[in-house]
C-alpha cells in the first residue's frame, strides 16, 4: 500500500484509518490498512538491531544548495480522518543510527544554502482530521548512539543570500495531532544511548542572515490539536545514564547577521490544544548528562547571536480554551550544562545567552474563555546545573548583551488570552 506522509490528509477518502511502517532493510515492511468498521487496534512491532547510516558527501561550487540527509532506525507513519482509530506500537532500537553531512563549499553561492541532517532512533508520527484516536506507543532506544553531524567547510566561500545549517538527533520521538480531534492514550519512552548532534561551519563571507544550529534529544513527545478538540494523554519518559549533547561551532570571517544555537534535552513533552479541554499526566526521569555548547567566532561582524540551552526534563501543556488538568512529576539526578561563547574582533551588536534547568514545566489556559488550570506538580532535582556565557571582543561594537540563567526547578502556570 502507498505510504502516507505525516501531513494533513486533505483529499483522502472520508472515514479512513491508514498506517504504514518503514524498516531500514532494503525491502521495507508494510502493514495493511486498518478497517475502521472492525473497531480493533492496529498492532505494529518493530525491532532494529543493525547499524543505520546516512551519508551525504559533497564538494561543490553552486549558486544554490539544498541538502536533506536523514537516518532512522524504526519509523511508523499514520493517518486517521473522519473516523475512530487505535494503534498499539512497540519500537525497539539496539543498533547505532547516524547521519553525516560533510560539505565542501567553493566559490560564490548567490542563492540560499539550506542543509538539514537528522538522525532518529525510533519515530512515530500520526496525523488526524475530524478523528477520535487512541494511542498506545512504546519506544525503547538502547543502541550505541544516535548521532547527526554536519560540517560546512568553505574558508574562501561567499554565501550571498544566507542560509540555514542544522543537525538534529533524537533517540525516541512521537508526534501526533491535527484539527477537530479527540486524542487519548499513553506514550512510554525509555532511552539509554549517547545522543549527539554537532554542526560546524567555516565560511569567509555571508552578507545575509545565516543560522547554524544543533539539537539533541533523548525522548520527545508532541501532541498538537486545533479547532474543537480534546486531549487526555499519559506521557512517561525515562532517560537512563547516558549523554545527550548538542554542539555548534561557527567561524565566519565577515558576517552581517549570524546566529549559532544549540539545544539539548533528555525528556521533553509538548502538549497543545487550541479548542476544548486537556487532561495530561506526565512523568519524567533523567539520570544522564545533558550538555549544550555553542561557540561563534568572527573577524568582522554586524549582528551576532550565540545561544545554548540545556534542560533535563521539560513539559509544556497548554490549552487556548477553558480547562487544563495537569499531573506532573519530574526527577533529575544528572548533570545539566549550557555554555555559550562569542569571540570577535570588531563590528556591531552581539548577544550571548546560556540557559540550563534540571526540571521545567509550563501550563496555561485561556482567560477570556473563563479558563481554569488545575495542577499537581512535583519536581526534584539532585544533579548539578550550570549556565556559562563568555564574550571576548577585541574592539567592542555598539552593544554586547550577555546573560546566563541556571535553575534547578522552575514551574510557570498562567491564564492567557486566546492565541497568547
Amino acid at each position: 500500500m502507498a505510504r502516507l506522509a505525516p501531513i494533513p490528509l486533505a483529499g483522502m477518502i472520508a472515514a479512513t484509518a491508514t498506517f504504514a511502517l518503514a524498516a531500514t532493510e532494503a525491502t521495507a515492511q508494510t502493514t495493511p490498512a486498518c478497517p475502521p468498521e472492525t473497531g480493533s487496534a492496529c498492532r505494529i512491532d518493530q525491532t532494529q538491531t543493525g547499524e543505520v547510516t546516512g551519508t551525504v558527501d559533497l564538494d561543490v561550487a553552486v549558486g544554490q544548495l539544498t541538502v536533506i540527509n536523514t537516518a532512522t532506525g524504526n519509523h511508523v507513519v499514520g493517518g486517521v480522518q473522519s473516523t475512530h482509530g487505535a494503534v498499539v506500537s512497540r519500537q525497539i532500537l539496539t543498533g547505532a543510527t547516524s547521519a553525516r553531512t560533510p560539505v565542501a563549499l567553493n566559490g560564490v553561492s548567490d542563492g540560499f544554502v539550506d542543509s538539514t541532517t537528522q538522525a532518529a532512533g525510533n519515530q512515530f508520527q500520526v496525523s488526524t482530521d475530524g478523528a477520535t484516536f487512541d494511542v498506545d506507543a512504546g519506544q525503547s532506544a538502547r543502541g550505541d548512539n544516535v548521532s547527526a553531524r554536519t560540517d560546512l567547510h568553505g574558508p574562501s566561500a561567499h554565501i550571498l543570500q544566507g542560509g540555514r545549517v542544522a543537525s538534529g538527533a533524537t533517540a525516541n520521538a512521537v508526534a501526533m495531532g491535527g484539527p477537530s480531534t479527540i486524542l487519548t492514550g499513553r506514550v512510554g519512552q525509555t532511552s539509554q544511548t549517547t545522543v549527539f548532534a554537532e554542526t560546524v561551519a567555516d565560511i569567509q563571507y555571508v552578507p545575509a542572515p545565516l543560522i547554524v544550529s544543533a539539537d539533541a534529544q533523548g525522548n520527545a513527545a508532541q501532541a498538537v490539536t486545533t479547532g474543537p478538540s480534546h486531549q487526555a494523554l499519559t506521557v512517561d519518559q525515562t532517560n537512563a545514564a547516558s549523554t545527550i549533547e548538542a554542539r555548534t561551532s561557527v567561524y565566519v570571517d565577515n558576517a552581517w547577521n549570524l546566529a549559532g544555537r544549540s539545544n539539548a534535552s533528555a525528556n521533553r513533552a509538548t502538549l497543545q490544544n487550541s479548542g476544548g479541554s486537556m487532561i495530561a499526566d506526565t512523568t519524567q526521569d533523567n539520570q544522564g548528562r545533558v550538555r549544550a555548547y555553542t561557540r561563534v567566532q568572527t573577524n568582522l561582524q554586524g549582528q551576532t547571536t550565540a545561544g545554548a540551552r540545556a534542560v533535563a526534563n521539560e513539559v509544556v501543556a497548554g490549552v487556548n480554551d477553558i480547562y487544563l488538568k495537569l499531573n506532573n512529576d519530574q526527577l533529575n539526578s544528572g548533570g545539566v550544562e549550557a555554555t555559550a561563547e562569542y569571540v570577535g574582533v570588531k563590528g556591531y551588536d552581539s548577544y550571548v545567552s546560556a540557559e540550563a534547568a534540571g526540571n521545567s514545566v509550563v501550563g496555561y489556559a485561556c482567560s477570556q474563555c473563563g479558563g481554569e488550570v488545575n495542577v499537581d506538580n512535583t519536581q526534584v532535582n539532585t544533579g548539578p546545573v550550570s549556565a556559562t556565557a563568555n564574550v571576548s571582543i577585541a574592539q567592542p561594537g555598539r552593544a554586547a548583551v550577555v546573560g546566563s540563567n541556571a535553575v534547578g526547578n522552575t514551574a510557570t502556570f498562567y491564564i492567557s488570552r486566546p492565541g497568547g
Side-chain angles (χ1 to χ4, degrees), residues 319-400:
V319 56
N320 284 324
D321 210 319
I322 57 173
Y323 185 73
L324 168 67
K325 180 175 176 57
L326 173 63
N327 294 322
N328 180 60
D329 288 290
Q330 295 174 317
L331 172 62
N332 176 54
S333 56
V336 183
E337 177 185 350
T339 303
E341 299 178 347
Y342 171 59
V343 178
V345 177
K346 60 182 177 180
Y348 293 93
D349 300 339
S350 56
Y351 304 88
V352 182
S353 64
E355 179 183 355
N359 300 306
S360 174
V361 60
V362 175
Y364 62 88
C366 162
S367 61
Q368 293 188 350
C369 315
E372 179 181 345
V373 175
N374 294 280
V375 176
D376 185 355
N377 181 54
T378 301
Q379 296 171 303
V380 178
N381 180 70
T382 60
V385 179
S386 67
T388 305
N390 297 319
V391 177
S392 175
I393 304 175
Q395 300 177 27
R398 295 181 305 185

Side-chain angles (χ1 to χ4, degrees), residues 394-418:
Q395 300 177 27
R398 295 181 305 185
V401 180
V402 184
S404 66
N405 182 35
V407 59
N409 302 303
T410 175
T412 304
F413 301 100
Y414 60 92
I415 306 295
S416 70
R417 295 175 62 86

